[in-house]
Amino acid sequence: MVWIPTTSGTGSEVTSFSVITDKKNNIKYPLADYELTPDVAIIDPQFVQSLPKSLVADCGMDVLTHAIEAYVANSRCPFTDGIALEAIRLIGQYLERAVKDGTDMEARTNMCWAQYMGGLAFSNAGLGMVHAMAHQLGGFYDTPHGVANAILLPYVMKYNLPSCPERYADVAQAFGFDVSKLTKTQAAYAAILYIEELEKTIGIPKLSDTAFKPADVEELSKNAMKDTGMPENPRKATVEDVEKVFLNAYFA
C-alpha cells in the first residue's frame, strides 16, 4: 500500500487514522487501526503545487492544530515534543509564504515536512478538544476540517491555558518570539494572538461565517464529549465548557 499525499495537511500517509462521516446521524468520528498505515509514503511537494490558496491555508492550519494538540496532549513524550515543535517552527516560517505563492517550492517543501512531522506527533501523542469539536462541525454542517480546526484552535487554547501555560509558551518560542522577559502566561497569549493574526492574513473565516447555528450547540457539545480526542486534552471539560468555547468562537 503506497500513499501519495496531495495536500500539506492531514499527515494521513504516516498515521493509522481515518475519519468516518455518518451522514444519517451527522456525526464525524475517527477510526484507528494499524492496517490503515501505508507500507510506503511518497511525499513530493510537486503534488501540492497546484492547490488553491484556500486549501493551502485550511490544510496548513490543520497541520498546526495537529502539532499544538500533540504538544499539550496527555500522552505526549519527548519524541512527540521534538517533532511537534519543529513542525510549529516550520509552519510559522512557511505557511503564509505557501499560501501567497504556490510556486514557492521552499515553502511547499517545508510545509510537507511540517505535515509529516505533525502526523507522526499526533499519531503517537493523540489530539484534543479542538479536533473533538471540529469533528462535530464537519459531521453536522460539512465544514471543511481544516477550517473547523483553525476557527476553534485559539479558543480552545484560551480554555486550556490554565493547565499548560508553559507548553503554550514553548509554542510562542517555536514561532520565533523572544519570551525571555515574559511570564509563561504572557508568552502563551503571544502564541494565541499570533495564530489569530495569521488566520486573518491567510483568509480563515469566522465561525459566524459558516453554517454553525447556536441552537445546535448542546447537541454538538454532547457529541464532542464522546470523541476520542477529549481524554487527551490537557484540561478536563464538561459539556457546558464545550458549549462556551463554541459560543465564544461564534460571537467573537
Side-chain angles (χ1 to χ4, degrees):
M1 181 165 64
V2 180
W3 287 15
I4 304 174
T6 55
T7 69
S8 296
T10 65
S12 294
E13 73 282 356
V14 291
T15 78
S16 58
F17 290 91
S18 183
V19 178
I20 306 299
T21 301
D22 181 342
K23 295 287 187 180
K24 183 178 179 181
N25 296 301
N26 295 323
I27 296 173
K28 198 172 185 179
Y29 57 90
L31 173 68
D33 192 303
Y34 285 113
E35 291 297 320
L36 295 171
T37 308
D39 301 301
V40 176
I42 299 173
I43 306 171
D44 187 336
Q46 292 182 79
F47 287 107
V48 300
Q49 198 172 359
S50 62
L51 280 179
K53 290 184 177 183
S54 60
L55 269 179
V56 178
D58 300 351
C59 294
M61 289 307 300
D62 191 21
V63 179
L64 181 60
T65 306
H66 290 161
I68 291 177
E69 290 213 288
Y71 190 66
V72 301
N74 291 326
S75 293
R76 64 185 183 264
C77 66
F79 168 74
T80 58
D81 283 352
I83 54 178
L85 285 175
E86 178 61 8
I88 292 165
R89 186 188 71 82
L90 290 173
I91 294 161
Q93 279 193 259
Y94 293 106
L95 175 55
E96 189 176 342
R97 279 175 54 178
V99 172
K100 285 183 177 179
D101 181 5
T103 65
D104 184 339
M105 293 309 290
E106 181 183 4
R108 293 293 200 184
T109 299
N110 281 291
M111 284 305 300
C112 285
W113 279 115
Q115 161 193 283
Y116 169 62
M117 288 184 285
L120 287 176
F122 88 77
S123 63
N124 285 278
L127 292 166
M129 190 167 160
V130 179
H131 272 76
M133 296 173 68
H135 288 153
Q136 312 320 312
L137 297 180
F140 219 75
Y141 309 111
D142 205 25
T143 305
H145 181 63
V147 172
N149 276 334
I151 290 170
L152 295 168
L153 178 60
Y155 299 96
V156 172
M157 289 179 71
K158 290 173 188 176
Y159 173 80
N160 284 338
L161 197 150
S163 296
C164 53
E166 70 289 340
R167 288 258 144 185
Y168 287 150
D170 291 342
V171 171
Q173 197 165 12
F175 281 139
F177 287 96
D178 178 2
V179 301
S180 59
K181 296 180 181 179
L182 301 177
T183 67
K184 298 299 183 185
T185 298
Q186 288 172 333
Y189 270 112
I192 294 169
L193 290 173
Y194 172 82
I195 291 168
E196 290 177 333
E197 288 303 312
L198 174 63
E199 291 183 359
K200 290 177 185 176
T201 301
I202 63 177
I204 300 297
K206 294 183 177 181
L207 189 56
S208 56
D209 297 325
T210 72
F212 174 85
K213 296 181 178 61
D216 299 326
V217 72
E218 183 177 358
E219 184 176 357
L220 294 170
S221 300
K222 286 180 178 178
N223 289 339
M225 291 296 295
K226 302 173 187 175
D227 191 275
T228 56
M230 288 303 288
E232 289 296 340
N233 199 64
R235 184 180 179 189
K236 289 186 177 180
T238 64
V239 172
E240 291 74 21
D241 292 329
V242 177
E243 289 178 2
K244 286 178 184 177
V245 174
F246 270 128
L247 294 176
N248 285 343
Y250 181 77
F251 289 109

